Amino acid sequence: MALYGAIEAGGTKFVLAVGEDPAQPREVVRIPTSNNPSETLGEVIRYFTRQRGLAGLGVASFGPLDFKDGTITNTPKLAWQGFPLRDTLQKALGLAVALETDVNAAALGEARCGAGRGVEDLVYITVGTGIGGGVLSGGKLVHGRMHSEIGHLLVGRAPDEDEQFEGVCPFHGDCLEGLASGPAMEQRWGEPADGLPEGHLAWLLEAEYLGRACVNLACVLSPRMIVLGGGVMTQGHLLPLIRRRVSELANGYLPLPDIVAPGCEYPALSGALALAMEAAA
Ligand code: ADP
Ligand code: ZN
């Protein structure tokens, strides 16, 4: 069986793996994301050069991405803006390289070998330092002019409870990411989300915003499943609160998607391996 490479490129770390099968990324290593992209890519290239007989590489990257140029377009890490991520890897390794957003790759990973095995209409959302979402529709990853930016959905503010909080998104203030990301919770409540006890109003508010986003996505995309991952979602009590709110907000009108936790250990790496296989075929 051929061997494929996978990268999950993030703003703080790059996670690298190889595998014959998207369900089993192995030799997983993490390297810090340097302010100098050539330095990080140098380490990435050394890792994959050591692997024998690689047939293709999938890159699941933070964005926003320009798929035509194979670059990251707009990031506070200025040296990464416009850096030729895809072409640098392609030239150095001599492989077919597929570039996707981290969250689109994660949606594919979950649909191939995670919670949504065999599901063709699936949304993956990560709720962490930022909020991002990827969309698989009719078995295909959705690209528009760019790609989805689910983290910046304008979900509206909860009345009463949240009037005073401006939100943390530098572009919009109170978009979904501005109101419901880990840093938004920390700023609103004055302590990191992992210290807030079950039963705290913080979790009802979190379920309100994520519930609104899920209903909006159900209205636009009619997915069969929405997978919710990321650091904030490791709070197991949050998922049932979101399901309940989605059901209340949809009020019987829509067939509701299953709202579930990820099934893959590394959803984006699994998706990147699947993309590498397609790129090499
Ligand atoms: P990133 O988004 O940077 O890739 P994570 O998905 O781990 O990484 O998200 C980090 C964010 O998630 C931080 O804002 C952190 O406060 C929050 N977080 C991490 N672990 C928990 C937890 N157990 N409960 C609630 N929030 C958490
Ligand atoms: Zn925003």
Side-chain angles (χ1 to χ4, degrees), residues 142-221:
V142 171
H143 291 177
R145 181 170 175 182
M146 189 175 75
H147 46 72
S148 303
E149 282 288 348
I150 287 169
H152 299 276
L153 281 173
L154 300 175
V155 288
R157 237 176 250 232
D160 307 330
E161 296 97 330
D162 217 19
E163 290 288 313
Q164 306 305 318
F165 182 60
E166 288 182 0
V168 301
C169 174
F171 295 96
H172 317 112
D174 61 359
C175 63
L176 178 63
E177 178 171 296
L179 292 168
S181 60
M185 296 188 80
E186 180 163 354
Q187 185 153 324
R188 185 190 287 110
W189 301 106
E191 60 176 305
D194 62 359
L196 297 166
E198 196 175 335
H200 193 290
L201 173 61
W203 300 112
L204 286 178
L205 211 50
E206 194 65 9
E208 176 68 32
Y209 291 128
L210 293 170
R212 289 183 187 194
C214 288
V215 171
N216 289 346
L217 291 165
C219 289
V220 179
L221 297 163

Coordinates of all heavy atoms in Angstrom, one line a residue, residues 142-221:
V142 N -17.0 22.1 0.0 CA -17.6 23.3 -0.7 C -16.5 24.4 -0.7 O -15.9 24.8 0.3 CB -18.8 23.8 0.1 CG1 -19.3 25.2 -0.3 CG2 -19.9 22.8 0.0
H143 N -16.3 24.9 -1.9 CA -15.5 26.2 -2.1 C -16.5 27.1 -2.9 O -17.1 26.7 -3.8 CB -14.3 25.9 -3.1 CG -13.3 25.1 -2.5 ND1 -12.2 24.7 -3.1 CD2 -13.2 24.5 -1.2 CE1 -11.4 24.0 -2.3 NE2 -12.0 23.8 -1.2
G144 N -16.5 28.3 -2.4 CA -17.2 29.4 -3.2 C -16.1 30.2 -3.9 O -15.1 29.7 -4.4
R145 N -16.3 31.5 -3.8 CA -15.2 32.4 -4.3 C -14.0 32.1 -3.5 O -12.9 32.2 -4.0 CB -15.7 33.8 -4.2 CG -14.7 34.8 -4.6 CD -15.3 36.2 -4.7 NE -14.3 37.1 -5.0 CZ -14.5 38.4 -5.1 NH1 -15.7 38.9 -4.8 NH2 -13.6 39.2 -5.5
M146 N -14.2 31.8 -2.2 CA -13.0 31.5 -1.3 C -13.4 30.1 -0.7 O -13.2 29.1 -1.2 CB -12.8 32.6 -0.3 CG -11.6 32.5 0.5 SD -11.3 33.9 1.6 CE -12.5 33.6 2.9
H147 N -13.8 30.2 0.6 CA -14.3 29.0 1.3 C -15.2 29.5 2.4 O -15.3 30.7 2.6 CB -13.1 28.2 1.8 CG -12.1 29.0 2.5 ND1 -12.3 29.6 3.8 CD2 -10.9 29.4 2.1 CE1 -11.2 30.3 4.1 NE2 -10.3 30.2 3.1
S148 N -15.9 28.6 3.1 CA -16.8 29.1 4.1 C -16.0 29.8 5.2 O -14.9 29.5 5.5 CB -17.5 27.9 4.8 OG -18.2 27.1 3.8
E149 N -16.7 30.7 5.9 CA -16.1 31.4 7.1 C -17.2 31.4 8.2 O -17.7 32.4 8.6 CB -15.7 32.8 6.7 CG -14.4 32.9 6.0 CD -13.2 32.6 6.9 OE1 -13.3 32.5 8.1 OE2 -12.1 32.5 6.3
I150 N -17.5 30.1 8.6 CA -18.6 29.9 9.5 C -18.3 30.6 10.9 O -19.3 31.0 11.5 CB -18.8 28.4 9.7 CG1 -19.4 27.9 8.4 CG2 -19.6 28.1 10.9 CD1 -19.5 26.4 8.3
G151 N -17.1 30.8 11.2 CA -16.8 31.5 12.5 C -17.3 32.9 12.5 O -17.4 33.5 13.6
H152 N -17.5 33.5 11.3 CA -17.9 34.9 11.3 C -19.4 35.1 11.0 O -19.8 36.2 10.6 CB -17.0 35.7 10.3 CG -15.5 35.6 10.8 ND1 -15.0 36.5 11.8 CD2 -14.5 34.8 10.5 CE1 -13.8 36.2 12.0 NE2 -13.4 35.1 11.3
L153 N -20.1 34.0 11.2 CA -21.6 34.2 11.1 C -22.1 35.2 12.0 O -21.6 35.3 13.2 CB -22.3 32.9 11.4 CG -22.3 31.8 10.4 CD1 -22.9 30.5 11.0 CD2 -23.2 32.2 9.2
L154 N -23.0 36.1 11.6 CA -23.5 37.1 12.5 C -24.8 36.5 13.1 O -25.9 36.6 12.6 CB -23.9 38.3 11.6 CG -22.6 38.9 10.9 CD1 -23.0 40.1 10.0 CD2 -21.6 39.3 11.9
V155 N -24.6 35.9 14.3 CA -25.6 35.2 15.0 C -26.5 36.1 15.8 O -27.6 35.7 16.2 CB -25.0 34.1 15.9 CG1 -24.5 32.9 15.0 CG2 -24.0 34.6 16.8
G156 N -26.1 37.3 16.0 CA -26.9 38.2 16.9 C -26.6 38.0 18.3 O -26.2 36.9 18.7
R157 N -26.8 39.0 19.1 CA -26.5 38.9 20.5 C -27.7 38.4 21.3 O -28.8 38.7 21.0 CB -26.2 40.3 21.0 CG -24.9 40.4 21.6 CD -24.8 41.8 21.9 NE -23.8 42.4 21.1 CZ -22.8 43.1 21.5 NH1 -22.7 43.3 22.8 NH2 -21.9 43.6 20.7
A158 N -27.4 37.6 22.3 CA -28.5 37.1 23.2 C -29.0 38.4 24.0 O -28.3 39.2 24.5 CB -28.0 36.1 24.2
P159 N -30.4 38.5 24.0 CA -30.9 39.7 24.8 C -30.6 39.5 26.3 O -30.4 38.4 26.7 CB -32.4 39.6 24.5 CG -32.7 38.2 24.1 CD -31.4 37.7 23.5
D160 N -30.6 40.6 26.9 CA -30.4 40.7 28.4 C -29.0 40.2 28.9 O -28.2 41.0 29.3 CB -31.5 39.9 29.2 CG -32.9 40.3 28.7 OD1 -33.0 41.5 28.3 OD2 -33.8 39.5 28.8
E161 N -28.8 38.9 28.7 CA -27.6 38.3 29.4 C -26.3 38.9 28.8 O -25.3 39.0 29.5 CB -27.4 36.8 29.1 CG -28.5 36.0 29.8 CD -29.6 35.6 28.7 OE1 -29.8 36.4 27.8 OE2 -30.2 34.5 28.9
D162 N -26.3 39.4 27.5 CA -25.0 39.6 26.9 C -24.9 41.0 26.3 O -24.1 41.3 25.4 CB -24.7 38.6 25.8 CG -23.2 38.2 25.8 OD1 -22.5 38.5 26.8 OD2 -22.8 37.6 24.8
E163 N -25.7 41.9 26.7 CA -25.8 43.3 26.2 C -24.5 44.0 26.3 O -24.1 44.8 25.4 CB -26.9 44.1 26.9 CG -28.3 43.7 26.5 CD -28.7 44.0 25.1 OE1 -28.5 45.2 24.7 OE2 -29.2 43.1 24.4
Q164 N -23.8 43.8 27.4 CA -22.6 44.6 27.7 C -21.3 44.1 27.0 O -20.3 44.8 27.0 CB -22.3 44.6 29.2 CG -23.5 45.0 30.1 CD -24.0 46.4 29.7 OE1 -23.3 47.3 29.4 NE2 -25.3 46.5 29.6
F165 N -21.3 42.9 26.5 CA -20.1 42.3 26.0 C -19.9 42.6 24.5 O -20.7 42.3 23.7 CB -20.1 40.8 26.2 CG -18.8 40.1 25.8 CD1 -17.6 40.4 26.4 CD2 -18.9 39.1 24.8 CE1 -16.4 39.8 26.0 CE2 -17.7 38.5 24.4 CZ -16.5 38.9 25.0
E166 N -18.8 43.3 24.2 CA -18.6 43.7 22.8 C -18.2 42.6 21.9 O -18.4 42.7 20.7 CB -17.5 44.8 22.8 CG -18.0 46.1 23.4 CD -16.9 47.2 23.3 OE1 -15.8 46.9 22.8 OE2 -17.2 48.3 23.8
G167 N -17.6 41.6 22.4 CA -17.1 40.5 21.5 C -15.6 40.7 21.1 O -15.1 41.9 21.2
V168 N -14.9 39.7 20.8 CA -13.5 39.8 20.6 C -13.0 39.7 19.1 O -11.8 39.7 18.9 CB -12.7 38.7 21.4 CG1 -13.1 38.8 22.9 CG2 -13.1 37.3 20.9
C169 N -13.9 39.6 18.2 CA -13.4 39.5 16.8 C -12.9 40.9 16.4 O -13.6 41.9 16.5 CB -14.5 39.1 15.8 SG -14.0 39.1 14.1
P170 N -11.7 41.0 15.9 CA -11.1 42.3 15.5 C -11.8 42.9 14.3 O -11.8 44.1 14.1 CB -9.6 42.0 15.2 CG -9.5 40.5 15.0 CD -10.7 39.9 15.8
F171 N -12.5 42.0 13.5 CA -13.2 42.6 12.3 C -14.7 42.9 12.6 O -15.2 43.9 12.1 CB -13.2 41.5 11.2 CG -11.8 41.3 10.7 CD1 -11.1 40.2 11.2 CD2 -11.2 42.1 9.8 CE1 -9.8 40.0 10.7 CE2 -9.9 41.9 9.3 CZ -9.2 40.8 9.8
H172 N -15.4 42.1 13.4 CA -16.8 42.3 13.6 C -17.3 42.5 15.0 O -18.4 42.8 15.3 CB -17.6 41.1 13.0 CG -17.0 40.6 11.7 ND1 -16.4 39.4 11.5 CD2 -17.0 41.2 10.5 CE1 -16.0 39.3 10.3 NE2 -16.3 40.4 9.7
G173 N -16.4 42.3 16.0 CA -16.8 42.4 17.4 C -17.7 41.1 17.7 O -17.1 40.1 18.1
D174 N -19.0 41.2 17.5 CA -19.9 40.2 18.0 C -20.4 39.2 17.0 O -21.5 38.8 17.0 CB -21.1 40.9 18.7 CG -21.9 41.7 17.8 OD1 -21.5 41.9 16.6 OD2 -22.9 42.3 18.3
C175 N -19.5 38.7 16.1 CA -19.8 37.6 15.2 C -19.7 36.3 16.1 O -19.4 36.4 17.3 CB -18.9 37.5 14.1 SG -17.2 37.2 14.5
L176 N -20.0 35.1 15.5 CA -19.9 33.9 16.3 C -18.6 33.7 17.1 O -18.6 33.5 18.3 CB -20.2 32.7 15.4 CG -20.1 31.3 16.0 CD1 -21.2 31.1 17.1 CD2 -20.3 30.2 15.0
E177 N -17.5 33.9 16.3 CA -16.2 33.8 17.0 C -16.0 34.9 18.1 O -15.4 34.6 19.1 CB -15.1 33.9 15.9 CG -13.7 33.9 16.4 CD -12.7 33.8 15.3 OE1 -12.7 32.8 14.6 OE2 -11.9 34.7 15.1
G178 N -16.5 36.1 17.8 CA -16.4 37.2 18.7 C -17.1 36.9 20.0 O -16.7 37.4 21.1
L179 N -18.2 36.1 19.9 CA -19.0 35.9 21.1 C -18.8 34.5 21.8 O -19.1 34.4 23.0 CB -20.5 35.9 20.7 CG -21.0 37.3 20.3 CD1 -22.4 37.2 19.6 CD2 -21.1 38.3 21.5
A180 N -18.3 33.5 21.0 CA -18.4 32.1 21.5 C -17.0 31.4 21.5 O -17.0 30.2 21.9 CB -19.4 31.3 20.8
S181 N -15.9 32.0 21.0 CA -14.6 31.3 21.0 C -14.1 31.2 22.5 O -14.6 31.9 23.4 CB -13.7 32.1 20.2 OG -13.5 33.4 20.7
G182 N -13.1 30.4 22.7 CA -12.5 30.3 24.0 C -12.1 31.7 24.5 O -12.4 32.1 25.7
P183 N -11.3 32.5 23.7 CA -11.0 33.8 24.2 C -12.2 34.7 24.5 O -12.1 35.6 25.4 CB -10.1 34.4 23.1 CG -9.6 33.2 22.4 CD -10.6 32.2 22.5
A184 N -13.3 34.6 23.8 CA -14.5 35.4 24.1 C -15.0 35.0 25.5 O -15.3 35.8 26.3 CB -15.5 35.1 23.0
M185 N -15.0 33.7 25.8 CA -15.5 33.2 27.1 C -14.6 33.8 28.2 O -15.0 34.3 29.2 CB -15.6 31.7 27.2 CG -16.5 31.1 26.2 SD -16.7 29.3 26.4 CE -17.8 29.3 27.9
E186 N -13.3 33.7 27.9 CA -12.3 34.1 28.9 C -12.5 35.6 29.2 O -12.5 36.1 30.4 CB -10.9 33.8 28.5 CG -9.9 34.3 29.5 CD -8.5 33.6 29.2 OE1 -8.3 32.8 28.4 OE2 -7.6 34.1 30.0
Q187 N -12.7 36.4 28.1 CA -12.8 37.9 28.3 C -14.1 38.2 29.0 O -14.2 39.1 29.9 CB -12.7 38.6 27.0 CG -12.7 40.1 27.2 CD -12.0 40.8 26.1 OE1 -11.0 40.3 25.5 NE2 -12.5 41.9 25.7
R188 N -15.2 37.5 28.7 CA -16.5 37.8 29.3 C -16.5 37.5 30.7 O -17.1 38.3 31.5 CB -17.6 37.1 28.5 CG -19.0 37.4 29.0 CD -20.1 36.5 28.4 NE -20.3 36.7 27.0 CZ -20.0 35.8 26.1 NH1 -19.4 34.7 26.3 NH2 -20.3 36.0 24.8
W189 N -16.0 36.4 31.1 CA -16.1 35.9 32.5 C -14.9 36.1 33.3 O -14.9 35.8 34.5 CB -16.5 34.4 32.5 CG -17.8 34.2 31.7 CD1 -17.9 33.6 30.4 CD2 -19.1 34.5 32.1 NE1 -19.2 33.6 30.0 CE2 -20.0 34.1 31.0 CE3 -19.7 35.1 33.2 CZ2 -21.3 34.4 31.0 CZ3 -21.0 35.3 33.2 CH2 -21.9 35.0 32.2
G190 N -13.8 36.6 32.7 CA -12.6 36.9 33.5 C -11.8 35.7 33.9 O -10.9 35.8 34.8
E191 N -12.1 34.6 33.4 CA -11.2 33.4 33.6 C -11.3 32.4 32.4 O -12.3 32.5 31.7 CB -11.6 32.7 34.9 CG -13.0 32.2 34.9 CD -13.3 31.4 36.2 OE1 -12.6 30.4 36.5 OE2 -14.2 31.7 36.9
P192 N -10.3 31.6 32.2 CA -10.4 30.7 31.1 C -11.6 29.7 31.1 O -12.1 29.4 32.2 CB -9.1 29.8 31.2 CG -8.2 30.6 32.1 CD -9.1 31.4 33.0
A193 N -12.1 29.4 30.0 CA -13.3 28.6 29.9 C -13.2 27.3 30.7 O -14.2 26.8 31.3 CB -13.7 28.3 28.4
D194 N -12.0 26.7 30.7 CA -11.9 25.4 31.4 C -12.1 25.5 32.9 O -12.3 24.4 33.6 CB -10.6 24.6 31.0 CG -9.4 25.4 31.5 OD1 -9.5 26.5 32.0 OD2 -8.3 24.8 31.2
G195 N -12.1 26.7 33.5 CA -12.3 26.9 34.9 C -13.8 27.2 35.2 O -14.1 27.2 36.4
L196 N -14.6 27.3 34.2 CA -16.0 27.7 34.5 C -16.8 26.4 34.8 O -16.9 25.5 34.0 CB -16.6 28.4 33.3 CG -16.0 29.7 33.0 CD1 -16.4 30.2 31.6 CD2 -16.3 30.8 34.0
P197 N -17.5 26.3 36.0 CA -18.2 25.1 36.3 C -19.4 24.8 35.5 O -20.1 25.7 35.0 CB -18.5 25.3 37.8 CG -18.6 26.8 37.9 CD -17.7 27.4 37.0
E198 N -19.8 23.5 35.4 CA -21.0 23.1 34.8 C -22.1 23.8 35.6 O -22.1 24.0 36.8 CB -21.1 21.6 35.0 CG -22.2 20.9 34.1 CD -22.2 19.4 34.2 OE1 -21.2 18.8 34.6 OE2 -23.3 18.8 33.9
G199 N -23.2 24.3 34.8 CA -24.3 25.0 35.5 C -24.1 26.5 35.5 O -25.0 27.2 35.7
H200 N -22.9 27.0 35.1 CA -22.6 28.4 35.0 C -23.4 28.9 33.8 O -23.5 28.3 32.8 CB -21.1 28.6 34.9 CG -20.6 30.0 35.0 ND1 -20.9 31.0 34.1 CD2 -19.9 30.6 36.0 CE1 -20.3 32.1 34.5 NE2 -19.7 31.9 35.7
L201 N -23.8 30.2 33.9 CA -24.6 30.8 32.8 C -23.7 30.8 31.5 O -24.3 30.8 30.4 CB -24.9 32.3 33.2 CG -25.5 33.2 32.2 CD1 -26.8 32.6 31.7 CD2 -25.7 34.6 32.7
A202 N -22.4 30.8 31.7 CA -21.5 30.8 30.5 C -21.9 29.7 29.5 O -21.8 29.9 28.3 CB -20.1 30.6 31.0
W203 N -22.2 28.5 30.0 CA -22.5 27.4 29.2 C -23.8 27.5 28.5 O -24.0 27.1 27.3 CB -22.3 26.1 29.9 CG -20.9 26.0 30.5 CD1 -20.6 26.0 31.8 CD2 -19.7 25.9 29.7 NE1 -19.2 26.0 31.9 CE2 -18.7 25.9 30.7 CE3 -19.4 25.8 28.4 CZ2 -17.3 25.8 30.3 CZ3 -18.1 25.8 28.0 CH2 -17.1 25.7 28.9
L204 N -24.8 28.1 29.1 CA -26.1 28.3 28.5 C -26.0 29.4 27.4 O -26.5 29.2 26.3 CB -27.1 28.9 29.5 CG -27.7 27.8 30.5 CD1 -28.7 28.5 31.5 CD2 -28.4 26.7 29.7
L205 N -25.1 30.4 27.6 CA -24.9 31.4 26.6 C -24.1 30.8 25.4 O -24.4 31.1 24.2 CB -24.1 32.5 27.2 CG -24.3 33.9 26.7 CD1 -25.8 34.3 26.6 CD2 -23.6 34.9 27.6
E206 N -23.2 29.9 25.7 CA -22.4 29.2 24.7 C -23.3 28.4 23.8 O -23.2 28.4 22.6 CB -21.3 28.4 25.4 CG -20.2 27.9 24.5 CD -19.3 29.0 23.9 OE1 -19.4 30.1 24.3 OE2 -18.5 28.6 23.0
A207 N -24.2 27.7 24.5 CA -25.2 26.8 23.8 C -26.1 27.7 22.9 O -26.5 27.2 21.8 CB -26.0 25.9 24.7
E208 N -26.5 28.8 23.4 CA -27.3 29.8 22.6 C -26.7 30.1 21.3 O -27.2 30.0 20.2 CB -27.6 31.0 23.5 CG -28.4 32.1 22.8 CD -29.8 31.7 22.6 OE1 -30.4 30.9 23.4 OE2 -30.4 32.1 21.5
Y209 N -25.4 30.6 21.4 CA -24.7 31.0 20.2 C -24.4 29.9 19.2 O -24.6 30.0 18.0 CB -23.5 31.8 20.5 CG -23.8 33.1 21.2 CD1 -23.2 33.5 22.4 CD2 -24.7 34.0 20.6 CE1 -23.5 34.7 23.0 CE2 -25.0 35.2 21.2 CZ -24.5 35.6 22.4 OH -24.8 36.7 23.0
L210 N -23.9 28.8 19.8 CA -23.6 27.7 18.9 C -24.9 27.1 18.3 O -24.9 26.6 17.2 CB -22.7 26.6 19.6 CG -21.3 27.1 20.0 CD1 -20.6 26.2 20.9 CD2 -20.5 27.3 18.7
G211 N -25.9 27.1 19.1 CA -27.3 26.6 18.7 C -27.8 27.4 17.5 O -28.3 26.9 16.5
R212 N -27.7 28.8 17.6 CA -28.1 29.6 16.6 C -27.3 29.3 15.3 O -27.9 29.3 14.2 CB -27.9 31.1 16.9 CG -28.9 31.6 18.0 CD -28.6 33.1 18.3 NE -29.4 33.5 19.4 CZ -29.6 34.8 19.7 NH1 -29.1 35.7 19.0 NH2 -30.4 35.1 20.8
A213 N -26.0 29.2 15.4 CA -25.2 28.9 14.3 C -25.6 27.6 13.6 O -25.7 27.5 12.4 CB -23.7 28.8 14.7
C214 N -25.9 26.6 14.4 CA -26.3 25.2 13.9 C -27.6 25.4 13.1 O -27.8 24.8 12.1 CB -26.4 24.2 15.0 SG -24.8 23.7 15.6
V215 N -28.5 26.1 13.7 CA -29.8 26.3 13.0 C -29.7 27.0 11.7 O -30.2 26.6 10.6 CB -30.9 27.0 13.9 CG1 -32.1 27.3 13.2 CG2 -31.2 26.1 15.1
N216 N -28.8 28.1 11.7 CA -28.6 28.8 10.5 C -28.0 27.9 9.4 O -28.3 28.0 8.2 CB -27.7 30.0 10.7 CG -28.4 31.1 11.5 OD1 -29.7 31.1 11.6 ND2 -27.7 32.1 12.0
L217 N -27.0 27.1 9.8 CA -26.4 26.2 8.9 C -27.4 25.1 8.4 O -27.3 24.8 7.2 CB -25.2 25.5 9.6 CG -24.0 26.5 9.8 CD1 -23.0 25.8 10.8 CD2 -23.3 26.9 8.5
A218 N -28.2 24.7 9.3 CA -29.3 23.7 8.8 C -30.2 24.3 7.8 O -30.6 23.7 6.8 CB -30.1 23.2 10.0
C219 N -30.5 25.6 8.0 CA -31.3 26.3 7.0 C -30.7 26.5 5.6 O -31.3 26.3 4.6 CB -31.7 27.7 7.5 SG -32.9 27.7 8.9
V220 N -29.4 26.7 5.6 CA -28.7 27.0 4.3 C -28.3 25.7 3.7 O -28.4 25.5 2.5 CB -27.5 27.9 4.6 CG1 -26.7 28.1 3.2 CG2 -27.9 29.2 5.2
L221 N -27.8 24.7 4.5 CA -27.1 23.6 3.9 C -27.8 22.3 4.0 O -27.4 21.3 3.4 CB -25.7 23.5 4.5 CG -24.7 24.7 4.3 CD1 -23.6 24.6 5.3 CD2 -24.2 24.7 2.9

